[in-house]
Amino acid sequence: MLEEVFQMNQVEELVKVVAEAQTDKGNVVIVTGKPGSGKSKVLREAAESQKWTYVDCRMLISEEFLAIPAADRGLYAPDMFADILASYNADVIILDRLQTLFVPVFHINTDSLMRKLSKKFTIVTAWPGYIDNGNLCYDKFDGTEAIRISPDGFKIWNVEG
């Protein structure tokens, strides 16, 4: 029971953060937290309670996208993904499993992608990595550095779990 109340308070907090982001240009909310802290659960519950569109990033990787030569995918991804998201007719898009887009063969610059998508939608996503020296970080499975993104222009909200 206490966990449900705590979770609901976090959903309410996230809703407020998203409302603030919607008044800004470049409206991206990055949800951070330790592994297992409930980032995805809060996103799903907020999507349900607010009727926001919840999209698993794996759904963005279409056959059409994969047919593009690998080196050109990063160029076409923002427009292709924006078209897919526009079909939902939603202002707020929850992007879960963001790490799907980190696969090197996709050649997607996730930072640039989110910034471009945020011109059309409010993007809310769970960051699957950690924060180090003020940057959003995600490492490859072998522990080597993979992605470092400056959070400038993004709203960062941390799940307490």
Side-chain angles (χ1 to χ4, degrees), residues 1 20 48 84 120 127 141 152 155 161:
M1 179 67 169
E20 290 170 12
E48 185 176 328
I84 292 168
K120 297 182 179 185
W127 185 255
F141 293 110
D152 291 345
K155 294 204 178 302

Side-chain angles (χ1 to χ4, degrees), residues 128-150:
Y130 57 96
I131 297 178
D132 184 42
N133 291 324
N135 290 312
L136 297 163
C137 305
Y138 182 83
D139 294 336
K140 296 179 184 174
F141 293 110
D142 64 4
T144 59
E145 181 179 301
I147 296 173
R148 298 289 181 267
I149 295 177
S150 168

Side-chain angles (χ1 to χ4, degrees), residues 63-124:
E63 287 183 29
E64 181 183 1
F65 176 75
L66 294 174
I68 297 170
D72 295 335
R73 290 177 182 157
L75 179 65
Y76 292 99
D79 290 334
M80 290 182 79
F81 294 172
D83 288 346
I84 292 168
L85 297 177
S87 71
Y88 291 105
N89 294 317
D91 293 331
V92 177
I93 305 284
I94 305 275
L95 290 179
D96 204 7
R97 298 184 191 261
L98 188 66
Q99 63 271 28
T100 302
L101 306 181
F102 298 168
V103 175
V105 72
F106 293 159
H107 295 276
I108 296 171
N109 178 323
T110 312
D111 180 18
S112 175
L113 174 70
M114 288 190 296
R115 292 179 194 282
K116 287 179 182 176
L117 291 176
S118 74
K119 293 180 189 311
K120 297 182 179 185
F121 316 98
T122 299
I123 300 295
V124 183

Side-chain angles (χ1 to χ4, degrees), residues 18-44:
V18 171
E20 290 170 12
Q22 288 181 290
T23 64
D24 297 338
K25 289 197 173 11
N27 42 1
V28 175
V29 176
I30 307 284
V31 178
T32 61
K34 296 177 183 175
S37 62
K39 297 181 295 286
S40 291
K41 184 176 183 182
V42 169
L43 289 180
R44 285 190 302 274

Side-chain angles (χ1 to χ4, degrees), residues 1-17 42 45 157-158 160:
M1 179 67 169
L2 184 58
E3 183 178 321
E4 288 177 24
V5 170
F6 184 67
Q7 198 75 37
M8 185 54 72
N9 289 341
Q10 292 208 1
V11 169
E12 291 169 3
E13 279 184 50
L14 177 60
V15 168
K16 289 177 187 174
V17 170
V42 169
E45 289 182 9
W157 181 74
N158 191 60
E160 299 294 331

